[in-house]
Amino acid sequence: MPPRPLLPVLLGLALTANVAFGADLDDCNAEVPAPAAAVRPAAEAYWLDGRHLQWPGLKLQPGERVRLHHAAAAGLRALPGEQVTGGDGAVALQPSAAPLPARLRFIGEGARLAVAEGVPVATLLRGQLLLVHEAADGRVIASTGVQIAGALDDLYAAAERVGDLGAHPARAGTRFAVWAPTASRVLLCRHAGGDAPAVAAEAMHFDAATGVWRAELKGDLSGQAYRYLVDVVTPTHGRVRNLVTDPYAVMLTTDSRLSVVADLASPALKPRGWDAAPRPPRMKSATDQVIYELHVRDFSISDASVRPDWRGKYLAFTETGSLGMRHLKALARAGLTDVHLLPVFDLASVPERGCKTPTVPDAPADSEAQQAAVMALAAEDCFNWGYDPWHFNTPEGSYATDPLQRVVEFRQMVMALHRAGLRVGMDMVYNHMAAAGQARKSVLDRLVPGYYHRLDARGEVERSTCCDNTATEHRMMAKLMIDSAALWVREYRIDSMRFDLMGHQPREAMERLQARVDAEAGRPVQLLGEGWNFGEVAHGARFLQASQLSLNGSGIASFSDRARDAARGGSAGEGGDDSVRRQGWLNGLVYAPNALAAARAEDLLAAADMIRVGLAGSLRGFELTTWRGERKRLDAIPYGDQPAGFVSEPGEVVNYVENHDNQTLFDVNVLKLPLGTSREDRARVQMLGAALVAFSQGVAYFHAGQDLLRSKSMDRNSYDSGDWFNRLDWSYQTNHFGTGLPPRQDNQGRDGRDWALARERLADPSIAPGPAEIAWARDVFRDLLRIRAGTPLLRLPSAAEIRKRVSFPGSGAAQNPVLIATRIDGRGLGGFRALLTFINVAPTAQALALPDEAGARWVLHPVQRQGADARVRDGARFEAGRFEVPARSAAVFVLE
């Protein structure tokens, strides 16, 4: 649908008459076109509120002026040295001494200007605006567009309290509401069904107080499809007519072409038993969470015990006797509390109809052929992680057997997991969208151009998150995020949430979200997320972030990279020889050097202390005697340019050594362990990583398949690597190591070095584990879960309790850095009087003498006395104040 000429605008920039014509109905039936080439004048000035502007860098000389030119038809031309043409008029501006709002502190210094009282700014915002620096005779010296968010947040503050955005059917009538304050006209395109042509283009009416357009039609229109036809000015394409789905849609047709009117409370959208279905009990403390991160498609696409039509779908979780569900139920019995699903909202990267499955050749373990076949269809296949949100409030349709059944089948999945004793968590991705501007899959920016996305100093959309960043510091983007999270809790019974790149969101917005979802659920909904500090918002440049260093005291948890990096070695994104050279505490740092190692003894000592930081919950106020012999608070121990201790309470830290990002722990260890390491020892090292998480204070977080030595054939970024590189085998026969070189794009490395390192290892038949090693790891992992679940001392609920009860015997200047002991005093709590955990990463047995314990009766934890690890069961011992721990083993002793 090419942009159409619009009706002449009457009375300057007033709203176009709300009358529908035959041409409107034609436009309703058009397809959303690929955008024409953009003309993007810089937008270097800012609306500070509804009356004030600032132009960074502008300095006026005597006789010069600044005027705000406007044009309803968006035909302004402002060429240097010439007069402005194509406009409807210009507004004189006066210098202003108004203070710069704190939320706009990132704006550069420059002229601050005011619009006179009585100027209809809201009306001006519906057309094209240019701020023009002029000579006394009106000739253009410079011009710029103006970023509009500050004005819209001020003028339409009341919109934040609107509670009925979206479509709301009822017997008497169906209401539609959409926020589009800069549109001059909005029509409701109504379709009888998903595949039917539009039957009406209904006029919508504008509420000047809120910026919301509304329509109310007779009768219950549930099942009808709709879109909005929006006449609006964009900063890139002038005045356009956009056909847009509803950002508040709760149902969509196949491939998200149309929104669908739906009442989520309707019996037609509820599986049998939904209303009365039981939920897992309320979580007593955030530290009781033990989380398993899982992708819906990964879970069942390779599981032959699931009926074929359900593989890769929500309904696979309802197949109670499948191998995958038997695995999850076994984990739940052992102590797993939550399954966290990678994105399950409507995503843009997977076709919901007609996705393709590549034919992957049977090729050698180090061949390029497999990845070539997978990537040839990557844009059309059925797989993606899903971090490309299209519509936040609707389940993804490719995981349903029919996209129109997505709501019912998603709820069936939730019921099945709840019946298995597992809470359901969701990966929430509100920090960016799949597209912005006039792109076909852009929604927010085609409704309110220039508002929902965070812009840089020239008005370009920021992309530090990988995609088109959203601006949750803006009133209505924060509202959308909070309303959306509340919907998932209320309508789908989501128990906990993980926020992707949460540090790009304001702490204040996240705290409001926390209060809202708790109220909707009638119980605490645990929130956690990636509190990484980077990009245009880093170090609080725009607002107080929901980042690691800024969240303490909020009760919202963030992932800790402290112990993760110390354990794995190196850091995310490393490549080439560094990916081998930079070993970690788990995989040989100093004590088992690989062929490229170049570490110093103090590197191992520092890593051991960082492991203790993680075991103590990364608490700011916990004190540790470091390897230098100094007694320090954890927030006084450096981690790069940040403090190692960064949380106030243990419920604010998420401990992990593996998740969907980067290589799996098994694959990292393939790089960093000495090449001659046995299969058995590779499995043992993997379980030492699991033990580190299980023994750490805070929230425990594991990646699906981590318990089965999961490999992605060394893929460091499998977001679009198809089913082939993301498979799980619940029959415990293979971990899929050696199934071809990983995809070239993110894994070849400079001069092919990463592929060369991978090829050497993938071709080595001694590395891939067999069924025996996988089964051993599976069983040891479940023992670790049983130990954590049955031992409250490993998940203390408060910082005060941890400071009082946790200590690290054997730490300090004289420590043995390959054997870390943690003592937890249990007096007064019931259960064990005390607990000692040991992790020995060395390939030889290690001992720790604690003379003060000589008179005590320490015994192996009851789970390990009957456990799957015979080496620990038979070789871990205590005698006369001396603890012995076998090679590459984790042992727990208790004082009964």
Side-chain angles (χ1 to χ4, degrees):
M1 180 187 70
R4 294 179 56 87
L6 301 181
L7 293 173
V9 176
L10 304 177
L11 302 177
L13 291 168
L15 295 176
T16 303
N18 252 326
V19 180
F21 296 90
D24 298 324
L25 198 57
D26 291 341
D27 285 347
C28 284
N29 284 312
E31 293 298 324
V32 177
V39 177
R40 186 183 289 275
E44 297 178 344
Y46 297 80
W47 283 99
L48 306 183
D49 54 33
R51 281 195 59 231
H52 298 91
L53 305 98
Q54 183 158 315
W55 189 342
L58 177 65
K59 295 182 179 180
L60 293 173
Q61 301 301 319
E64 297 175 349
R65 67 189 183 190
V66 179
R67 292 198 299 168
L68 184 64
H69 289 257
H70 54 86
L76 284 170
R77 287 171 56 85
L79 301 177
E82 299 182 11
Q83 302 281 333
V84 174
T85 61
D88 300 325
V91 175
L93 303 174
Q94 300 301 319
S96 172
L100 182 69
R103 60 187 168 77
L104 297 174
R105 60 183 178 269
F106 62 92
I107 295 175
E109 288 293 325
R112 196 165 304 155
L113 307 160
V115 176
E117 293 283 357
V119 173
V121 173
T123 302
L124 295 178
L125 287 165
R126 296 187 196 107
Q128 181 189 19
L129 296 178
L130 276 181
L131 207 55
V132 182
H133 177 196
E134 299 175 348
D137 61 1
R139 287 181 296 107
V140 175
I141 298 171
S143 66
T144 181
V146 190
Q147 299 187 26
I148 64 173
L152 296 185
D153 279 348
D154 183 29
L155 295 170
Y156 299 104
E160 194 172 25
R161 298 188 294 276
V162 172
D164 64 345
L165 293 175
H168 298 274
R171 182 176 299 177
T174 299
R175 292 176 289 113
F176 297 84
V178 61
W179 190 68
T182 60
S184 59
R185 184 169 181 249
V186 179
L187 296 175
L188 172 68
C189 298
R190 189 159 55 85
H191 300 248
D195 296 322
V199 296
E202 311 280 2
M204 300 189 76
H205 304 283
F206 185 68
D207 176 8
T210 62
V212 173
W213 293 79
R214 295 183 176 277
E216 185 164 356
L217 306 177
K218 291 182 179 180
D220 185 340
L221 302 184
S222 292
Q224 291 197 11
Y226 69 101
R227 283 185 290 194
Y228 298 117
L229 197 59
V230 183
D231 294 344
V232 69
V233 170
T234 75
T236 55
H237 291 76
R239 181 165 286 280
V240 297
R241 170 162 289 183
N242 279 334
L243 196 55
V244 193
T245 46
D246 189 342
Y248 273 77
V250 298
M251 177 80 90
L252 296 158
T253 62
T254 301
D255 287 327
S256 311
R257 180 173 175 269
L258 303 173
S259 304
V260 176
V261 178
D263 176 6
L264 295 179
S266 167
L269 295 178
K270 295 178 180 179
R272 181 177 300 174
W274 172 255
D275 288 334
R279 300 177 65 174
R282 174 179 176 145
M283 188 71 67
K284 293 180 180 178
S285 169
T287 57
D288 292 336
Q289 293 174 96
V290 180
I291 297 169
Y292 202 62
E293 184 193 50
L294 180 63
H295 186 278
V296 168
R297 187 170 173 87
D298 291 354
F299 172 66
S300 61
I301 193 62
S302 301
D303 188 350
S305 68
V306 174
R307 66 193 71 182
D309 289 347
W310 289 8
R311 292 176 196 165
K313 308 295 185 181
Y314 300 127
L315 290 182
F317 291 89
T318 70
E319 191 90 83
T320 56
S322 72
L323 294 179
M325 280 308 296
R326 286 163 59 187
H327 185 84
L328 290 184
K329 286 186 281 189
L331 291 175
R333 289 192 298 271
L336 189 71
T337 65
D338 291 53
V339 167
H340 267 211
L341 301 171
L342 266 69
V344 286
F345 48 71
D346 182 55
L347 52 101
S349 52
V350 176
E352 293 180 354
R353 176 186 289 144
C355 64
K356 299 179 180 179
T357 301
T359 300
V360 182
D362 182 8
D366 61 342
S367 172
E368 299 179 25
Q370 297 95 325
Q371 65 86 34
V374 168
M375 299 314 292
L377 289 180
E380 305 169 83
D381 73 357
C382 309
F383 180 87
N384 197 281
W385 279 350
Y387 291 90
D388 51 341
W390 195 353
H391 298 87
F392 290 126
N393 294 353
T394 306
E396 164 58 15
S398 70
Y399 299 145
T401 58
D402 178 340
L404 292 178
Q405 294 298 313
R406 64 181 84 201
V407 170
V408 173
E409 292 182 5
F410 189 102
R411 286 171 160 174
Q412 287 177 278
M413 172 185 68
V414 171
M415 288 175 69
L417 287 167
H418 281 171
R419 277 196 302 269
L422 291 164
R423 297 171 2 122
V424 181
M426 265 183 73
D427 201 324
M428 318 302 281
V429 187
Y430 296 112
N431 63 83
H432 62 249
M433 296 293 288
Q438 286 293 104
R440 293 180 64 184
K441 294 184 179 181
S442 168
V443 175
L444 301 178
D445 222 14
R446 294 173 72 244
L447 268 176
V448 192
Y451 175 80
Y452 280 103
H453 292 273
R454 188 175 299 122
L455 307 179
D456 67 13
R458 289 184 53 79
E460 302 276 357
V461 175
E462 294 277 11
R463 292 180 55 86
S464 57
T465 64
C466 82
C467 310
D468 293 317
N469 295 4
T470 57
T472 41
E473 65 271 27
H474 297 166
R475 192 183 300 275
M476 295 302 284
M477 184 61 221
K479 174 180 171 58
L480 175 56
M481 176 177 74
I482 294 168
D483 287 348
S484 174
L487 179 142
W488 286 103
V489 169
R490 180 179 66 250
E491 303 294 350
Y492 294 98
R493 300 180 184 167
I494 295 301
D495 301 291
S496 55
M497 294 177 170
R498 171 204 182 273
F499 286 79
D500 181 63
L501 299 182
M502 182 175 62
H504 271 57
Q505 290 153 198
R507 170 174 167 158
E508 174 272 335
M510 288 300 301
E511 289 180 315
R512 283 193 287 133
L513 186 152
Q514 177 78 80
R516 177 79 179 278
V517 295
D518 287 355
E520 294 284 358
R523 59 163 87 180
V525 175
Q526 286 72 32
L527 305 185
L528 56 93
E530 294 179 310
W532 314 135
N533 175 46
F534 69 98
E536 72 281 358
V537 299
H539 308 296
R542 298 203 179 200
F543 45 77
L544 182 66
Q545 300 157 262
S547 60
Q548 283 181 334
L549 299 186
S550 303
L551 272 174
N552 68 97
S554 69
I556 299 170
S558 54
F559 287 90
S560 176
D561 45 358
R562 278 61 168 168
R564 179 202 71 185
D565 287 352
R568 289 167 63 102
S571 60
E574 67 184 0
D577 288 352
D578 277 351
S579 63
V580 176
R581 180 181 297 113
R582 298 170 64 186
Q583 290 177 278
W585 184 73
L586 286 176
N587 48 43
L589 179 65
V590 176
Y591 62 86
N594 61 43
L596 298 180
R600 304 163 300 167
E602 52 263 39
D603 295 331
L604 176 58
L605 291 164
D609 277 357
M610 203 58 66
I611 295 295
R612 294 183 178 94
V613 168
L615 288 162
S618 301
L619 292 173
R620 290 171 176 254
F622 186 90
E623 292 189 351
L624 173 70
T625 303
T626 72
W627 68 273
R628 298 180 186 275
E630 303 165 327
R631 186 76 176 172
K632 286 189 171 184
R633 284 171 49 110
L634 299 190
D635 59 6
I637 297 174
Y639 171 73
D641 62 353
Q642 301 180 55
F646 66 94
V647 305
S648 296
E649 294 292 339
E652 296 172 353
V653 66
V654 181
N655 300 304
Y656 74 119
V657 292
E658 174 182 330
N659 73 349
H660 67 274
D661 281 321
N662 308 307
Q663 296 101 330
T664 67
L665 181 59
F666 184 89
D667 288 344
V668 159
N669 289 338
V670 166
L671 286 166
K672 296 178 186 293
L673 282 167
L675 281 173
T677 304
S678 68
R679 288 192 183 94
E680 179 188 10
D681 270 9
R682 291 181 188 278
R684 299 195 72 86
V685 171
Q686 180 95 352
M687 287 305 102
L688 294 183
L692 174 60
V693 174
F695 296 169
S696 293
Q697 301 293 332
V699 177
Y701 198 94
F702 300 100
H703 185 213
Q706 182 177 340
D707 49 332
L708 307 178
L709 312 180
R710 184 178 186 175
S711 170
K712 297 181 181 180
S713 208
M714 304 190 72
D715 193 346
R716 70 174 69 242
N717 189 18
S718 69
Y719 79 99
D720 197 24
S721 299
D723 298 326
W724 184 261
F725 291 99
N726 287 282
R727 288 173 293 172
L728 288 162
D729 178 16
W730 305 124
S731 70
Y732 315 131
Q733 298 305 297
T734 177
N735 76 339
H736 299 295
F737 181 81
T739 51
L741 282 167
R744 179 187 302 269
Q745 176 178 322
D746 290 320
N747 296 281
Q748 187 178 30
R750 180 177 296 178
D751 299 324
R753 180 56 177 160
D754 289 346
W755 255 13
L757 292 168
R759 182 175 275 116
E760 177 184 15
R761 289 155 175 80
L762 292 169
D764 185 342
S766 71
I767 292 177
E773 290 80 27
I774 293 170
W776 177 87
R778 174 200 65 202
D779 295 343
V780 169
F781 183 86
R782 292 176 188 175
D783 283 349
L784 292 170
L785 295 189
R786 292 184 186 100
I787 290 169
R788 186 174 176 89
T791 313
L793 293 177
L794 291 173
R795 40 192 174 85
L796 293 169
S798 72
E801 286 290 279
I802 292 171
R803 288 193 299 268
K804 175 182 176 182
R805 298 179 181 279
V806 174
S807 60
F808 292 101
S811 61
Q815 68 175 272
N816 173 5
V818 297
L819 178 64
I820 290 183
T822 309
R823 192 185 195 282
I824 310 176
D825 187 344
R827 287 175 294 179
L829 296 181
F832 301 125
R833 287 192 294 141
L835 181 82
L836 265 166
T837 68
F838 292 88
I839 303 178
N840 172 21
V841 293
T844 56
Q846 301 291 313
L848 178 64
L850 299 176
D852 290 348
E853 305 289 353
R857 186 175 178 273
W858 289 95
V859 296
L860 204 58
H861 194 286
V863 170
Q864 289 191 315
R865 286 179 229 162
Q866 307 296 323
D869 191 345
R871 185 182 291 185
V872 171
R873 192 174 64 233
D874 300 336
R877 56 178 61 90
F878 167 75
E879 187 175 356
R882 186 173 186 271
F883 293 86
E884 294 184 14
V885 183
R888 287 183 166 140
S889 294
V892 182
F893 289 87
V894 296
L895 202 57
E896 294 182 318

